[in-house]
């Protein structure tokens, strides 16, 4: 048990960097269909609601930061990975590889226009299930 007195109670949002805020806004809002929520004043940044996770897309240079895309995927829950993948592919989004079936979940990895790695994910087995093989 932690003895820390900091009191972290959760995660308010994650930040995804972009070099082109308008393109990112279209991708997250129109292509992925995430709900647009808070615009950060006049700054090139906006929050998108993804169920229990808020994704804040912000143009790095406007905040004095050097752009570096996220390399590890943000797993976005969908009910049907294959259907979600087909929808994005019909809009020209390319996926890194075939859809993965881990034995407990399906995963399909792709990138946003800036190269930030995202994943469609759906666990079809109980959370305590253990994969028998990775295909």
């Amino acid at each position: 048990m932690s003895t820390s007195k900091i009191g972290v109670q959760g995660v308010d949002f994650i930040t995804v960097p972009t070099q082109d805020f308008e393109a990112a806004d279209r991708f997250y809002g129109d292509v992925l269909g995430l709900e647009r929520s808070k615009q950060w004043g006049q700054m090139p940044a906006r929050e998108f609601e993804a169920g229990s996770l808020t994704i804040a897309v912000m143009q790095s240079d406007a905040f004095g930061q050097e752009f570096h895309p996220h390399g590890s995927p943000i797993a976005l829950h969908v009910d049907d990975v294959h259907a979600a993948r087909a929808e994005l592919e019909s809009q020209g989004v390319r996926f890194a590889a075939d859809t993965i079936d881990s034995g407990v979940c399906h995963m399909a990895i792709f990138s946003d226009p800036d190269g930030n790695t995202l994943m469609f994910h759906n666990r079809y087995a109980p959370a305590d299930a253990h994969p028998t093989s990775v295909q």
Side-chain angles (χ1 to χ4, degrees), residues 81-82 98-108 122 124-125 131-135:
V81 169
H82 300 289
D98 291 338
T99 298
I100 300 164
D101 182 343
S102 72
V104 296
C105 64
H106 291 128
M107 299 175 276
N122 180 276
Y124 58 80
T132 55
S133 66
V134 176
Q135 300 171 347

mmCIF file of all heavy atoms in Angstrom, residues 81-82 98-108 122 124-125 131-135:
data_model
loop_
_atom_site.group_PDB
_atom_site.id
_atom_site.type_symbol
_atom_site.label_atom_id
_atom_site.label_comp_id
_atom_site.label_asym_id
_atom_site.label_seq_id
_atom_site.Cartn_x
_atom_site.Cartn_y
_atom_site.Cartn_z
ATOM 1 N N VAL A 81 -14.149 -4.837 -34.069
ATOM 2 C CA VAL A 81 -12.872 -4.361 -34.610
ATOM 3 C C VAL A 81 -12.864 -4.461 -36.132
ATOM 4 O O VAL A 81 -12.410 -3.544 -36.820
ATOM 5 C CB VAL A 81 -11.683 -5.134 -33.989
ATOM 6 C CG1 VAL A 81 -10.382 -4.836 -34.720
ATOM 7 C CG2 VAL A 81 -11.560 -4.802 -32.511
ATOM 8 N N HIS A 82 -13.379 -5.557 -36.673
ATOM 9 C CA HIS A 82 -13.348 -5.757 -38.122
ATOM 10 C C HIS A 82 -14.190 -4.702 -38.846
ATOM 11 O O HIS A 82 -13.756 -4.149 -39.861
ATOM 12 C CB HIS A 82 -13.811 -7.174 -38.477
ATOM 13 C CG HIS A 82 -12.945 -8.238 -37.870
ATOM 14 N ND1 HIS A 82 -11.663 -8.505 -38.294
ATOM 15 C CD2 HIS A 82 -13.175 -9.070 -36.833
ATOM 16 C CE1 HIS A 82 -11.135 -9.468 -37.557
ATOM 17 N NE2 HIS A 82 -12.037 -9.827 -36.657
ATOM 18 N N ASP A 98 -2.243 -7.035 -40.223
ATOM 19 C CA ASP A 98 -3.536 -7.696 -40.119
ATOM 20 C C ASP A 98 -4.093 -7.522 -38.709
ATOM 21 O O ASP A 98 -3.349 -7.272 -37.749
ATOM 22 C CB ASP A 98 -3.394 -9.195 -40.412
ATOM 23 C CG ASP A 98 -3.057 -9.474 -41.872
ATOM 24 O OD1 ASP A 98 -3.331 -8.604 -42.732
ATOM 25 O OD2 ASP A 98 -2.510 -10.558 -42.144
ATOM 26 N N THR A 99 -5.393 -7.688 -38.575
ATOM 27 C CA THR A 99 -6.020 -7.650 -37.257
ATOM 28 C C THR A 99 -5.489 -8.817 -36.431
ATOM 29 O O THR A 99 -5.374 -9.936 -36.921
ATOM 30 C CB THR A 99 -7.554 -7.718 -37.392
ATOM 31 O OG1 THR A 99 -7.981 -6.557 -38.124
ATOM 32 C CG2 THR A 99 -8.240 -7.755 -36.042
ATOM 33 N N ILE A 100 -5.175 -8.527 -35.188
ATOM 34 C CA ILE A 100 -4.600 -9.514 -34.274
ATOM 35 C C ILE A 100 -5.714 -10.146 -33.450
ATOM 36 O O ILE A 100 -6.578 -9.444 -32.927
ATOM 37 C CB ILE A 100 -3.576 -8.848 -33.328
ATOM 38 C CG1 ILE A 100 -2.447 -8.218 -34.135
ATOM 39 C CG2 ILE A 100 -3.056 -9.828 -32.282
ATOM 40 C CD1 ILE A 100 -1.610 -7.217 -33.344
ATOM 41 N N ASP A 101 -5.679 -11.465 -33.335
ATOM 42 C CA ASP A 101 -6.562 -12.188 -32.415
ATOM 43 C C ASP A 101 -5.648 -12.810 -31.367
ATOM 44 O O ASP A 101 -4.929 -13.763 -31.640
ATOM 45 C CB ASP A 101 -7.350 -13.269 -33.148
ATOM 46 C CG ASP A 101 -8.324 -14.004 -32.237
ATOM 47 O OD1 ASP A 101 -8.187 -13.916 -30.992
ATOM 48 O OD2 ASP A 101 -9.220 -14.677 -32.779
ATOM 49 N N SER A 102 -5.651 -12.254 -30.168
ATOM 50 C CA SER A 102 -4.745 -12.700 -29.104
ATOM 51 C C SER A 102 -5.244 -13.934 -28.364
ATOM 52 O O SER A 102 -4.550 -14.459 -27.502
ATOM 53 C CB SER A 102 -4.534 -11.579 -28.089
ATOM 54 O OG SER A 102 -5.720 -11.409 -27.319
ATOM 55 N N GLY A 103 -6.449 -14.369 -28.665
ATOM 56 C CA GLY A 103 -7.055 -15.450 -27.912
ATOM 57 C C GLY A 103 -8.041 -14.931 -26.882
ATOM 58 O O GLY A 103 -8.852 -15.689 -26.365
ATOM 59 N N VAL A 104 -7.985 -13.640 -26.584
ATOM 60 C CA VAL A 104 -8.947 -13.009 -25.678
ATOM 61 C C VAL A 104 -9.498 -11.701 -26.248
ATOM 62 O O VAL A 104 -10.496 -11.193 -25.758
ATOM 63 C CB VAL A 104 -8.367 -12.751 -24.258
ATOM 64 C CG1 VAL A 104 -8.016 -14.049 -23.565
ATOM 65 C CG2 VAL A 104 -7.173 -11.823 -24.304
ATOM 66 N N CYS A 105 -8.824 -11.148 -27.261
ATOM 67 C CA CYS A 105 -9.268 -9.886 -27.824
ATOM 68 C C CYS A 105 -8.828 -9.755 -29.277
ATOM 69 O O CYS A 105 -7.941 -10.471 -29.739
ATOM 70 C CB CYS A 105 -8.736 -8.704 -27.012
ATOM 71 S SG CYS A 105 -6.941 -8.557 -27.023
ATOM 72 N N HIS A 106 -9.482 -8.815 -29.970
ATOM 73 C CA HIS A 106 -9.078 -8.438 -31.325
ATOM 74 C C HIS A 106 -8.460 -7.052 -31.246
ATOM 75 O O HIS A 106 -8.936 -6.191 -30.495
ATOM 76 C CB HIS A 106 -10.285 -8.397 -32.274
ATOM 77 C CG HIS A 106 -10.852 -9.739 -32.561
ATOM 78 N ND1 HIS A 106 -12.187 -10.016 -32.411
ATOM 79 C CD2 HIS A 106 -10.274 -10.885 -32.990
ATOM 80 C CE1 HIS A 106 -12.409 -11.271 -32.746
ATOM 81 N NE2 HIS A 106 -11.261 -11.823 -33.090
ATOM 82 N N MET A 107 -7.400 -6.825 -32.035
ATOM 83 C CA MET A 107 -6.710 -5.542 -32.068
ATOM 84 C C MET A 107 -6.333 -5.215 -33.506
ATOM 85 O O MET A 107 -5.879 -6.085 -34.239
ATOM 86 C CB MET A 107 -5.431 -5.591 -31.228
ATOM 87 C CG MET A 107 -5.663 -5.890 -29.770
ATOM 88 S SD MET A 107 -4.112 -6.071 -28.851
ATOM 89 C CE MET A 107 -3.736 -7.800 -29.193
ATOM 90 N N ALA A 108 -6.497 -3.950 -33.886
ATOM 91 C CA ALA A 108 -6.104 -3.478 -35.214
ATOM 92 C C ALA A 108 -5.394 -2.133 -35.029
ATOM 93 O O ALA A 108 -5.988 -1.177 -34.531
ATOM 94 C CB ALA A 108 -7.313 -3.345 -36.127
ATOM 95 N N ASN A 122 -11.133 -4.866 -28.888
ATOM 96 C CA ASN A 122 -12.331 -5.448 -28.304
ATOM 97 C C ASN A 122 -11.959 -6.756 -27.621
ATOM 98 O O ASN A 122 -11.417 -7.661 -28.253
ATOM 99 C CB ASN A 122 -13.410 -5.719 -29.355
ATOM 100 C CG ASN A 122 -14.642 -6.328 -28.707
ATOM 101 O OD1 ASN A 122 -14.712 -7.532 -28.500
ATOM 102 N ND2 ASN A 122 -15.598 -5.485 -28.389
ATOM 103 N N TYR A 124 -13.167 -10.067 -26.254
ATOM 104 C CA TYR A 124 -14.329 -10.934 -26.409
ATOM 105 C C TYR A 124 -14.382 -12.031 -25.363
ATOM 106 O O TYR A 124 -15.382 -12.718 -25.234
ATOM 107 C CB TYR A 124 -14.400 -11.534 -27.821
ATOM 108 C CG TYR A 124 -13.188 -12.340 -28.227
ATOM 109 C CD1 TYR A 124 -13.015 -13.645 -27.797
ATOM 110 C CD2 TYR A 124 -12.224 -11.785 -29.059
ATOM 111 C CE1 TYR A 124 -11.906 -14.391 -28.177
ATOM 112 C CE2 TYR A 124 -11.123 -12.512 -29.448
ATOM 113 C CZ TYR A 124 -10.967 -13.821 -29.011
ATOM 114 O OH TYR A 124 -9.866 -14.544 -29.391
ATOM 115 N N ALA A 125 -13.321 -12.201 -24.594
ATOM 116 C CA ALA A 125 -13.285 -13.207 -23.529
ATOM 117 C C ALA A 125 -13.358 -12.495 -22.181
ATOM 118 O O ALA A 125 -13.053 -11.311 -22.078
ATOM 119 C CB ALA A 125 -11.996 -14.019 -23.625
ATOM 120 N N PRO A 131 -5.010 -16.268 -22.766
ATOM 121 C CA PRO A 131 -4.932 -16.740 -24.150
ATOM 122 C C PRO A 131 -4.245 -18.096 -24.226
ATOM 123 O O PRO A 131 -3.301 -18.381 -23.494
ATOM 124 C CB PRO A 131 -4.103 -15.661 -24.851
ATOM 125 C CG PRO A 131 -3.358 -14.972 -23.771
ATOM 126 C CD PRO A 131 -4.197 -15.093 -22.528
ATOM 127 N N THR A 132 -4.773 -18.941 -25.112
ATOM 128 C CA THR A 132 -4.154 -20.244 -25.314
ATOM 129 C C THR A 132 -3.081 -20.186 -26.380
ATOM 130 O O THR A 132 -2.133 -20.948 -26.357
ATOM 131 C CB THR A 132 -5.218 -21.286 -25.719
ATOM 132 O OG1 THR A 132 -5.902 -20.801 -26.869
ATOM 133 C CG2 THR A 132 -6.207 -21.516 -24.582
ATOM 134 N N SER A 133 -3.225 -19.258 -27.311
ATOM 135 C CA SER A 133 -2.206 -19.065 -28.339
ATOM 136 C C SER A 133 -2.434 -17.717 -28.997
ATOM 137 O O SER A 133 -3.536 -17.205 -29.006
ATOM 138 C CB SER A 133 -2.268 -20.171 -29.392
ATOM 139 O OG SER A 133 -3.481 -20.083 -30.109
ATOM 140 N N VAL A 134 -1.385 -17.166 -29.553
ATOM 141 C CA VAL A 134 -1.479 -15.905 -30.291
ATOM 142 C C VAL A 134 -1.429 -16.267 -31.762
ATOM 143 O O VAL A 134 -0.541 -16.990 -32.194
ATOM 144 C CB VAL A 134 -0.347 -14.944 -29.902
ATOM 145 C CG1 VAL A 134 -0.412 -13.701 -30.757
ATOM 146 C CG2 VAL A 134 -0.442 -14.585 -28.431
ATOM 147 N N GLN A 135 -2.396 -15.785 -32.508
ATOM 148 C CA GLN A 135 -2.474 -16.131 -33.931
ATOM 149 C C GLN A 135 -2.073 -14.943 -34.766
ATOM 150 O O GLN A 135 -2.283 -13.848 -34.463
ATOM 151 C CB GLN A 135 -3.877 -16.561 -34.275
ATOM 152 C CG GLN A 135 -4.287 -17.763 -33.464
ATOM 153 C CD GLN A 135 -5.756 -18.095 -33.625
ATOM 154 O OE1 GLN A 135 -6.544 -17.307 -34.144
ATOM 155 N NE2 GLN A 135 -6.146 -19.258 -33.168
#
